[in-house]
Amino acid sequence: MKYAKNEAKEHARAHMRGIWAAALNPFLPDGALDEAGLRRNIRHWIDDLDIKGLFIAGKQGEFFSMSVPERKRNFEIAVDECGGRAGTIMSVSDQNFDTVLELARHAQDCGADYIVVHAPVLHFVSDPDEIVFNYYKAICDAVDIGIAMWSHPDSGYLMSPELCARISDLPNIVAIKYSVPREMYVRLTHMVGDKIHVSTASEVEWLDNIEELNWRLYLCSSPPYQLQTASDRRMDEYTRLAFDGKFEEARRVSRSLDPVREAIRSTKPADKPQAHGKYWQELLGQTGGSVRFPMLELTNEEKTATREAFEACGLKL
């Protein structure tokens, strides 16, 4: 731990900044985690793309298909490969609360910077607020590491801004990945001020949120390593321009990425997000690899369409 529990918020304000990316996990054809491939990707993301932090073992990383030992190993690889050059936030989300705590303690012990926990899926519940508050409080009580909330539709409900603001008062809550309509995250941002970081995964909204809400953290999805190469870092460029208050220039650079965004959007099958992301990584020269069941692989026809769109989108390799 690089900070005490009562220093978590201050530490996150100072160090949890810039572009953080959610890692896709490369799996080998036999289903094993491709550790060497993951390490190569992490080095590229940090050394070539200057990504400031990595979100490990989340939905992009197919945590739902991984065993607890595999998720722990995933944490260890990321901490080792980042080596203090980039931050780490480990998804310890699980429906089993004991598993959440086991993974949270492992993340804390292996040197992770923060953890993220998504709101639990609740059955037959029409008023989740007290359940969810006590859920996060129990995690905060059990560990010292900084914790990010994570609210998304997969839970079956969305945490209200009022609930999130209440939870943000807990001592080691440092951020929220808030996958909700913009009106909700705008309201929460105004409610919490700089007490915690508020962020959402939408890259197309990132620039607006820097300018209008003074956000300083993109937390996080795969665009940071899918829209960029070592010789074409336009997401990083427009972010830096926006942080410097040069919004007109930032918008010009951001708009130039529209063909890349459209190439990804128009070729991604609705039921194959991870497989599409991994194939796009392979086209970029990164390690993509296989997906795990129950996720589906791309067909040859889908790969051809994606490759053709990739070649025409204007990304410089």
Side-chain angles (χ1 to χ4, degrees):
M1 289 286 294
K2 302 170 184 175
Y3 51 87
K5 184 172 188 169
N6 62 359
E7 299 169 337
K9 282 180 165 60
E10 180 182 356
H11 186 274
R13 280 194 293 270
H15 299 283
M16 200 179 192
R17 301 173 71 85
I19 296 172
W20 289 49
L24 286 154
N25 271 327
F27 296 112
L28 297 167
D30 66 359
L33 179 63
D34 183 353
E35 294 192 9
L38 177 59
R39 288 179 181 275
R40 284 193 298 272
N41 285 346
I42 290 173
R43 288 195 296 273
H44 168 62
W45 299 338
I46 296 172
D47 295 342
D48 299 329
L49 305 183
D50 197 26
I51 291 173
K52 300 303 185 185
L54 298 178
F55 185 119
I56 299 298
K59 292 191 294 182
Q60 294 280 4
E62 299 172 73
F63 82 90
F64 45 80
S65 69
M66 299 173 72
S67 69
V68 171
E70 286 176 319
R71 294 173 70 181
K72 289 181 177 180
R73 181 61 182 156
N74 203 182
F75 296 177
E76 293 164 2
I77 292 168
V79 169
D80 180 56
E81 206 60 52
C82 286
R85 296 172 299 140
T88 54
I89 183 167
M90 310 305 190
S91 173
V92 304
S93 304
D94 200 88
Q95 276 303 100
N96 182 283
F97 187 69
D98 289 341
T99 299
V100 171
L101 293 187
E102 181 180 350
L103 289 169
R105 289 170 177 139
H106 185 75
Q108 181 171 287
D109 293 344
C110 78
D113 292 291
Y114 313 100
I115 60 172
V116 58
V117 191
H118 71 56
V121 176
L122 298 177
H123 305 282
F124 312 117
V125 173
S126 58
D127 184 1
D129 284 19
E130 205 61 29
I131 297 171
V132 175
F133 176 82
N134 282 285
Y135 179 79
Y136 280 106
K137 183 178 186 304
I139 300 168
C140 286
D141 289 345
V143 296
D144 296 332
I145 194 168
I147 300 167
M149 300 175 276
W150 185 8
S151 180
H152 53 71
D154 297 6
S155 295
Y157 60 93
L158 296 176
M159 295 167 59
S160 69
E162 290 76 16
L163 173 60
C164 297
R166 180 185 176 198
I167 295 170
S168 74
D169 285 332
L170 296 170
N172 46 329
I173 294 290
V174 300
I176 182 169
K177 182 176 180 181
Y178 208 21
S179 304
V180 299
R182 192 167 194 272
E183 182 276 333
M184 291 178 68
Y185 69 66
V186 168
R187 186 148 51 98
L188 178 61
T189 301
H190 293 317
M191 291 172 72
V192 299
D194 66 353
K195 185 185 303 180
I196 65 169
H197 288 290
V198 180
S199 188
T200 196
S202 172
E203 181 272 330
V204 297
E205 298 171 62
W206 170 226
L207 179 51
D208 288 340
N209 293 332
I210 298 172
E211 181 174 11
E212 298 172 19
L213 300 175
N214 197 33
W215 281 11
R216 289 296 180 266
L217 173 66
Y218 175 80
L219 183 74
C220 53
S221 191
S222 52
Y225 55 83
Q226 292 179 335
L227 297 180
Q228 302 191 103
T229 70
S231 58
D232 190 346
R233 288 169 40 183
R234 279 176 280 172
M235 184 178 177
D236 180 75
E237 182 182 358
Y238 82 67
T239 298
R240 290 175 183 274
L241 287 166
F243 281 177
D244 288 340
K246 300 175 182 177
F247 295 111
E248 185 174 343
E249 293 177 62
R251 293 198 178 282
R252 176 182 54 77
V253 175
S254 179
R255 284 194 297 269
S256 75
L257 283 169
D258 283 346
V260 188
R261 297 182 182 110
E262 177 59 19
I264 293 173
R265 187 205 64 77
S266 64
T267 59
K268 183 189 298 182
D271 57 345
K272 301 177 182 179
Q274 288 93 345
H276 185 271
K278 292 181 184 188
Y279 184 60
W280 191 271
Q281 283 184 272
E282 291 174 5
L283 295 171
L284 286 165
Q286 300 173 34
T287 301
S290 302
V291 295
R292 276 188 173 178
F293 192 77
M295 305 312 296
L296 302 174
E297 299 287 0
L298 296 184
T299 64
N300 288 333
E301 292 78 10
E302 289 165 341
K303 287 184 177 181
T304 296
T306 301
R307 185 176 64 254
E308 290 174 351
F310 172 84
E311 291 170 350
C313 75
L315 263 180
K316 301 174 185 175
L317 296 178

